[in-house]
Amino acid sequence: MKTAVASGLAMALALAGVAGCSSGSRDKARTTPVADSSPVSSPPPEPVTPQVADKAFRSFVTNDDVARASGDERLALWWTSEGQSQLTAASFRQAVAAGDPIPRYRYGTPSLYVPHLKPEGIQWFVTVVRRSAPDGKDPKTMIMGFVRSKPTMRWRLSLATTLDKKEKPPKIAVDADGYAKPLATFDTGLLIPPRVVPSIQATLAEEGPGNVAAKVMEAGKHTTGYYTSDQKATKPKKGSGLHINTVYGATAFPIFPLATTDGGGIVLYALSRDAISIKNKKKPGRVPIPKAAAPFIEARRVHSELDVTQTLQFATLVPAKPAKGDGEDKATIIAADGGTIKAAVPTT
């Protein structure tokens, strides 16, 4: 895994010769429709407009609240995809295990950032909106990514991350017609190409501030902070025989890159985090089960090893590549969210 991360890091630091697919090129694998002699034809794909995005957002909010109010997990999952599906299912399971009601939310007026995309194939948009509990308490600013994998399919929430308290909402560039500018995932105009941002963060979280990735991404609680926390957890208490190995990795989930008004970009994406706890069999006792992982595993099944998986979602501001030499600006993670989605023991 570290080899793959190092490869991604080299790509980011080289800032040249990067090849890949843009956010709009994912649909190049679609097939050409076969001619049909039938007089009935399918309607043309609906282009994504701010009005379409607003309707999609409202539909999600309404149906998500109905699902949460009634405890209907199946309905809630029907309106989500990728990492958000994993986290939604986990939240239902954790609430049931604790005997608590499913969390419900109230949303404010959204700021919609709709990129110009081809009307066929994968479509997406980003929303920045205030969200609170139904009574108005605990307000937070959410940055959310919605996708529609095919023109005939419904819009689903793919990612939702929470703006850090000390951060301001991102200044996403919008043209005169109200459209945001999408960035190619291999865009070399940024300090880090969008598709490499997840690997850079994973490197810092796993290897710490001494890694060369620290030259292009700020140290903080979502990067080197993870490393410091994991290192403390990895050191076993004297005589416990417990060791914890933590691995971070990029996911195959969608990446949402948009241009910002300062010439840089904002990138929304997800990481996976696996914490493997191993207990020396010669030492008494079993591997402790983290509170967040308890709903996903029967305690009686846990003995000398436990693997806890998390899905983490982020929004990172990436500055433009400096014109000459090294610049002082670095990528900064401004929003984060996520949680435990699975716990398992070895099957052999």
Side-chain angles (χ1 to χ4, degrees):
M1 181 266 181
K2 292 183 179 179
T3 300
V5 170
S7 176
L9 175 58
M11 183 190 316
L13 297 180
L15 297 176
V18 182
C21 301
S22 71
S23 56
S25 65
R26 299 176 191 158
D27 49 351
K28 67 180 181 180
R30 64 183 184 277
T31 57
T32 303
V34 177
D36 189 349
S37 59
S38 171
V40 180
S41 60
S42 299
E46 178 186 38
V48 186
T49 65
Q51 292 73 29
V52 168
D54 183 70
K55 182 178 178 181
F57 175 78
R58 301 296 176 188
S59 294
F60 166 79
V61 168
T62 299
N63 284 279
D64 182 67
D65 189 57
V66 170
R68 291 174 177 275
S70 60
D72 190 339
E73 180 180 347
R74 184 176 181 180
L75 176 61
L77 293 176
W78 192 246
W79 289 87
T80 60
S81 63
E82 288 87 38
Q84 198 59 34
S85 286
Q86 296 176 339
L87 293 168
T88 298
S91 69
F92 271 72
R93 188 163 183 173
Q94 290 168 336
V96 170
D100 296 330
I102 308 300
R104 296 175 63 186
Y105 305 111
R106 185 174 73 182
Y107 291 86
T109 301
S111 296
L112 301 168
Y113 299 98
V114 183
H116 270 302
L117 299 172
K118 296 178 181 179
E120 66 275 10
I122 295 177
Q123 300 169 331
W124 56 274
F125 66 89
V126 169
T127 298
V128 179
V129 64
R130 291 288 283 177
R131 189 183 79 178
S132 67
D135 59 4
K137 294 182 179 180
D138 194 28
K140 298 176 181 178
T141 297
M142 305 300 298
I143 306 178
M144 308 164 75
F146 289 83
V147 296
R148 182 166 65 179
S149 56
K150 295 181 180 179
T152 56
M153 298 185 71
R154 72 176 68 239
W155 287 96
R156 300 174 188 266
L157 177 64
S158 174
L159 179 152
T161 187
T162 306
L163 188 71
D164 286 351
K165 291 183 178 180
K166 295 183 179 181
E167 297 290 347
K168 296 180 179 180
K171 295 181 179 180
I172 299 174
V174 178
D175 66 19
D177 295 322
Y179 288 91
K181 178 185 177 182
L183 297 174
T185 60
F186 57 82
D187 193 312
T188 56
L190 299 183
L191 180 63
I192 310 172
R195 70 175 183 178
V196 184
V197 173
S199 294
I200 295 293
Q201 184 187 359
T203 299
L204 282 176
E206 194 168 319
E207 300 185 11
N211 190 278
V212 68
K215 293 183 177 180
V216 293
M217 183 173 283
E218 290 283 359
K221 61 182 178 179
H222 305 308
T223 53
T224 54
Y226 286 154
Y227 173 79
T228 301
S229 178
D230 293 338
Q231 288 298 302
K232 290 180 179 179
T234 297
K235 295 179 180 179
K237 293 181 180 179
K238 188 175 181 179
S240 69
L242 179 67
H243 179 76
I244 303 174
N245 183 38
T246 305
V247 178
Y248 295 83
T251 70
F253 301 154
I255 294 176
F256 303 85
L258 289 172
T260 50
T261 56
D262 61 359
I266 183 169
V267 185
L268 278 62
Y269 58 93
L271 289 181
S272 64
R273 178 183 184 273
D274 285 302
I276 305 172
S277 301
I278 301 175
K279 180 87 169 182
N280 188 328
K281 295 181 180 179
K282 295 182 179 180
K283 299 292 183 179
R286 301 185 178 191
V287 170
I289 302 174
K291 183 178 179 181
F296 302 94
I297 192 77
E298 295 180 42
R300 63 180 179 82
R301 295 181 56 206
V302 181
H303 296 283
S304 61
E305 186 171 338
L306 177 65
D307 185 359
V308 177
T309 302
Q310 293 182 320
T311 291
L312 308 175
Q313 301 183 134
F314 303 95
T316 296
L317 290 177
V318 184
K321 180 174 64 177
K324 295 181 179 180
D326 295 332
E328 295 182 359
D329 291 338
K330 298 181 181 181
T332 304
I333 298 170
I334 63 169
D337 215 324
T340 299
I341 62 167
K342 184 174 66 174
V345 296
T347 55
T348 56

